[in-house]
mmCIF file of all heavy atoms in Angstrom:
data_model
loop_
_atom_site.group_PDB
_atom_site.id
_atom_site.type_symbol
_atom_site.label_atom_id
_atom_site.label_comp_id
_atom_site.label_asym_id
_atom_site.label_seq_id
_atom_site.Cartn_x
_atom_site.Cartn_y
_atom_site.Cartn_z
ATOM 1 N N ILE A 77 54.247 60.679 -58.713
ATOM 2 C CA ILE A 77 55.128 60.792 -57.550
ATOM 3 C C ILE A 77 55.132 59.474 -56.784
ATOM 4 O O ILE A 77 56.187 58.959 -56.393
ATOM 5 C CB ILE A 77 54.688 61.958 -56.650
ATOM 6 C CG1 ILE A 77 55.017 63.293 -57.342
ATOM 7 C CG2 ILE A 77 55.359 61.883 -55.280
ATOM 8 C CD1 ILE A 77 54.465 64.505 -56.623
ATOM 9 N N ILE A 80 56.909 56.652 -58.869
ATOM 10 C CA ILE A 80 58.360 56.828 -58.880
ATOM 11 C C ILE A 80 58.953 56.487 -57.512
ATOM 12 O O ILE A 80 59.975 55.793 -57.415
ATOM 13 C CB ILE A 80 58.725 58.263 -59.304
ATOM 14 C CG1 ILE A 80 58.410 58.463 -60.801
ATOM 15 C CG2 ILE A 80 60.201 58.560 -59.026
ATOM 16 C CD1 ILE A 80 58.494 59.898 -61.259
ATOM 17 N N TYR A 81 58.316 56.967 -56.443
ATOM 18 C CA TYR A 81 58.819 56.641 -55.106
ATOM 19 C C TYR A 81 58.804 55.136 -54.874
ATOM 20 O O TYR A 81 59.767 54.567 -54.343
ATOM 21 C CB TYR A 81 57.975 57.329 -54.038
ATOM 22 C CG TYR A 81 58.302 56.841 -52.650
ATOM 23 C CD1 TYR A 81 59.408 57.334 -51.963
ATOM 24 C CD2 TYR A 81 57.541 55.843 -52.046
ATOM 25 C CE1 TYR A 81 59.747 56.854 -50.703
ATOM 26 C CE2 TYR A 81 57.870 55.354 -50.783
ATOM 27 C CZ TYR A 81 58.968 55.865 -50.122
ATOM 28 O OH TYR A 81 59.310 55.375 -48.886
ATOM 29 N N LEU A 82 57.732 54.479 -55.289
ATOM 30 C CA LEU A 82 57.611 53.038 -55.088
ATOM 31 C C LEU A 82 58.557 52.237 -55.974
ATOM 32 O O LEU A 82 58.745 51.048 -55.757
ATOM 33 C CB LEU A 82 56.177 52.584 -55.368
ATOM 34 C CG LEU A 82 55.125 53.038 -54.369
ATOM 35 C CD1 LEU A 82 53.731 52.729 -54.890
ATOM 36 C CD2 LEU A 82 55.346 52.384 -53.015
ATOM 37 N N ILE A 172 58.234 68.904 -58.871
ATOM 38 C CA ILE A 172 59.444 68.791 -58.041
ATOM 39 C C ILE A 172 59.158 69.202 -56.602
ATOM 40 O O ILE A 172 59.549 68.510 -55.645
ATOM 41 C CB ILE A 172 60.579 69.648 -58.634
ATOM 42 C CG1 ILE A 172 61.017 69.079 -59.990
ATOM 43 C CG2 ILE A 172 61.762 69.712 -57.671
ATOM 44 C CD1 ILE A 172 61.932 70.002 -60.769
ATOM 45 N N GLN A 173 58.469 70.344 -56.442
ATOM 46 C CA GLN A 173 58.190 70.840 -55.095
ATOM 47 C C GLN A 173 57.248 69.909 -54.337
ATOM 48 O O GLN A 173 57.440 69.635 -53.147
ATOM 49 C CB GLN A 173 57.582 72.250 -55.181
ATOM 50 C CG GLN A 173 58.529 73.315 -55.707
ATOM 51 C CD GLN A 173 59.764 73.477 -54.836
ATOM 52 O OE1 GLN A 173 59.699 73.374 -53.602
ATOM 53 N NE2 GLN A 173 60.906 73.729 -55.459
ATOM 54 N N THR A 174 56.223 69.390 -55.033
ATOM 55 C CA THR A 174 55.276 68.489 -54.384
ATOM 56 C C THR A 174 55.954 67.179 -54.011
ATOM 57 O O THR A 174 55.685 66.596 -52.949
ATOM 58 C CB THR A 174 54.071 68.216 -55.309
ATOM 59 O OG1 THR A 174 53.474 69.449 -55.685
ATOM 60 C CG2 THR A 174 53.034 67.353 -54.608
ATOM 61 N N PHE A 175 56.845 66.698 -54.885
ATOM 62 C CA PHE A 175 57.601 65.474 -54.590
ATOM 63 C C PHE A 175 58.420 65.671 -53.315
ATOM 64 O O PHE A 175 58.443 64.800 -52.429
ATOM 65 C CB PHE A 175 58.519 65.133 -55.761
ATOM 66 C CG PHE A 175 58.803 63.663 -55.906
ATOM 67 C CD1 PHE A 175 58.851 63.077 -57.161
ATOM 68 C CD2 PHE A 175 59.042 62.860 -54.807
ATOM 69 C CE1 PHE A 175 59.096 61.724 -57.316
ATOM 70 C CE2 PHE A 175 59.306 61.498 -54.949
ATOM 71 C CZ PHE A 175 59.334 60.941 -56.202
ATOM 72 N N ALA A 176 59.065 66.824 -53.209
ATOM 73 C CA ALA A 176 59.884 67.110 -52.030
ATOM 74 C C ALA A 176 59.024 67.132 -50.764
ATOM 75 O O ALA A 176 59.433 66.616 -49.714
ATOM 76 C CB ALA A 176 60.601 68.442 -52.205
ATOM 77 N N VAL A 177 57.839 67.716 -50.867
ATOM 78 C CA VAL A 177 56.934 67.759 -49.714
ATOM 79 C C VAL A 177 56.530 66.346 -49.310
ATOM 80 O O VAL A 177 56.537 65.989 -48.127
ATOM 81 C CB VAL A 177 55.689 68.612 -50.031
ATOM 82 C CG1 VAL A 177 54.631 68.442 -48.944
ATOM 83 C CG2 VAL A 177 56.072 70.080 -50.166
ATOM 84 N N HIS A 178 56.168 65.511 -50.297
ATOM 85 C CA HIS A 178 55.764 64.139 -49.989
ATOM 86 C C HIS A 178 56.903 63.335 -49.359
ATOM 87 O O HIS A 178 56.674 62.499 -48.478
ATOM 88 C CB HIS A 178 55.272 63.427 -51.259
ATOM 89 C CG HIS A 178 53.843 63.737 -51.597
ATOM 90 N ND1 HIS A 178 52.800 63.436 -50.755
ATOM 91 C CD2 HIS A 178 53.285 64.324 -52.694
ATOM 92 C CE1 HIS A 178 51.654 63.816 -51.307
ATOM 93 N NE2 HIS A 178 51.920 64.358 -52.479
ATOM 94 N N LEU A 179 58.127 63.569 -49.832
ATOM 95 C CA LEU A 179 59.260 62.842 -49.262
ATOM 96 C C LEU A 179 59.470 63.188 -47.789
ATOM 97 O O LEU A 179 59.997 62.382 -47.020
ATOM 98 C CB LEU A 179 60.538 63.153 -50.052
ATOM 99 C CG LEU A 179 60.645 62.520 -51.437
ATOM 100 C CD1 LEU A 179 61.886 63.025 -52.155
ATOM 101 C CD2 LEU A 179 60.674 60.994 -51.345
ATOM 102 N N ASN A 180 59.039 64.381 -47.408
ATOM 103 C CA ASN A 180 59.205 64.819 -46.021
ATOM 104 C C ASN A 180 57.944 64.646 -45.182
ATOM 105 O O ASN A 180 57.939 65.000 -43.998
ATOM 106 C CB ASN A 180 59.650 66.282 -45.992
ATOM 107 C CG ASN A 180 61.098 66.458 -46.400
ATOM 108 O OD1 ASN A 180 62.005 66.084 -45.675
ATOM 109 N ND2 ASN A 180 61.317 67.005 -47.586
ATOM 110 N N THR A 181 56.883 64.098 -45.782
ATOM 111 C CA THR A 181 55.641 63.882 -45.042
ATOM 112 C C THR A 181 55.103 62.477 -45.334
ATOM 113 O O THR A 181 55.348 61.541 -44.582
ATOM 114 C CB THR A 181 54.586 64.944 -45.429
ATOM 115 O OG1 THR A 181 54.423 64.978 -46.864
ATOM 116 C CG2 THR A 181 55.017 66.322 -44.943
ATOM 117 N N THR A 182 54.407 62.331 -46.441
ATOM 118 C CA THR A 182 53.777 61.067 -46.819
ATOM 119 C C THR A 182 54.771 59.916 -46.817
ATOM 120 O O THR A 182 54.482 58.835 -46.293
ATOM 121 C CB THR A 182 53.142 61.183 -48.219
ATOM 122 O OG1 THR A 182 52.353 62.362 -48.292
ATOM 123 C CG2 THR A 182 52.286 59.973 -48.539
ATOM 124 N N PHE A 183 55.938 60.145 -47.431
ATOM 125 C CA PHE A 183 56.925 59.081 -47.593
ATOM 126 C C PHE A 183 58.118 59.232 -46.647
ATOM 127 O O PHE A 183 59.184 58.678 -46.911
ATOM 128 C CB PHE A 183 57.412 59.038 -49.046
ATOM 129 C CG PHE A 183 56.309 58.797 -50.039
ATOM 130 C CD1 PHE A 183 56.138 59.630 -51.134
ATOM 131 C CD2 PHE A 183 55.428 57.741 -49.874
ATOM 132 C CE1 PHE A 183 55.127 59.411 -52.058
ATOM 133 C CE2 PHE A 183 54.408 57.514 -50.783
ATOM 134 C CZ PHE A 183 54.248 58.344 -51.875
ATOM 135 N N LYS A 184 57.926 59.964 -45.579
ATOM 136 C CA LYS A 184 59.000 60.093 -44.590
ATOM 137 C C LYS A 184 59.332 58.704 -44.045
ATOM 138 O O LYS A 184 58.441 57.900 -43.768
ATOM 139 C CB LYS A 184 58.554 61.026 -43.467
ATOM 140 C CG LYS A 184 59.672 61.469 -42.543
ATOM 141 C CD LYS A 184 59.179 62.507 -41.560
ATOM 142 C CE LYS A 184 60.311 62.991 -40.651
ATOM 143 N NZ LYS A 184 61.340 63.723 -41.407
ATOM 144 N N THR A 185 60.605 58.404 -43.901
ATOM 145 C CA THR A 185 61.063 57.053 -43.568
ATOM 146 C C THR A 185 60.333 56.462 -42.369
ATOM 147 O O THR A 185 59.821 55.338 -42.425
ATOM 148 C CB THR A 185 62.581 57.061 -43.304
ATOM 149 O OG1 THR A 185 63.256 57.507 -44.475
ATOM 150 C CG2 THR A 185 63.062 55.662 -42.947
ATOM 151 N N GLN A 186 60.258 57.224 -41.277
ATOM 152 C CA GLN A 186 59.647 56.695 -40.064
ATOM 153 C C GLN A 186 58.172 56.358 -40.291
ATOM 154 O O GLN A 186 57.658 55.358 -39.767
ATOM 155 C CB GLN A 186 59.772 57.710 -38.914
ATOM 156 C CG GLN A 186 61.207 57.969 -38.484
ATOM 157 C CD GLN A 186 61.850 59.118 -39.242
ATOM 158 O OE1 GLN A 186 61.539 59.348 -40.423
ATOM 159 N NE2 GLN A 186 62.741 59.827 -38.580
ATOM 160 N N ARG A 187 57.488 57.183 -41.078
ATOM 161 C CA ARG A 187 56.065 56.948 -41.339
ATOM 162 C C ARG A 187 55.871 55.695 -42.197
ATOM 163 O O ARG A 187 54.990 54.882 -41.926
ATOM 164 C CB ARG A 187 55.449 58.158 -42.039
ATOM 165 C CG ARG A 187 53.954 58.024 -42.294
ATOM 166 C CD ARG A 187 53.368 59.303 -42.897
ATOM 167 N NE ARG A 187 51.925 59.209 -43.010
ATOM 168 C CZ ARG A 187 51.271 58.682 -44.034
ATOM 169 N NH1 ARG A 187 51.957 58.161 -45.042
ATOM 170 N NH2 ARG A 187 49.954 58.639 -44.064
ATOM 171 N N VAL A 188 56.691 55.556 -43.233
ATOM 172 C CA VAL A 188 56.574 54.402 -44.126
ATOM 173 C C VAL A 188 56.866 53.110 -43.366
ATOM 174 O O VAL A 188 56.138 52.114 -43.495
ATOM 175 C CB VAL A 188 57.514 54.554 -45.339
ATOM 176 C CG1 VAL A 188 57.540 53.272 -46.166
ATOM 177 C CG2 VAL A 188 57.083 55.732 -46.196
#
Side-chain angles (χ1 to χ4, degrees):
I77 288 173
I80 290 170
Y81 170 81
L82 291 170
I172 294 169
Q173 293 300 323
T174 304
F175 209 140
V177 169
H178 278 299
L179 287 174
N180 286 289
T181 53
T182 311
F183 301 128
K184 192 174 182 66
T185 300
Q186 295 90 328
R187 183 176 186 273
V188 172

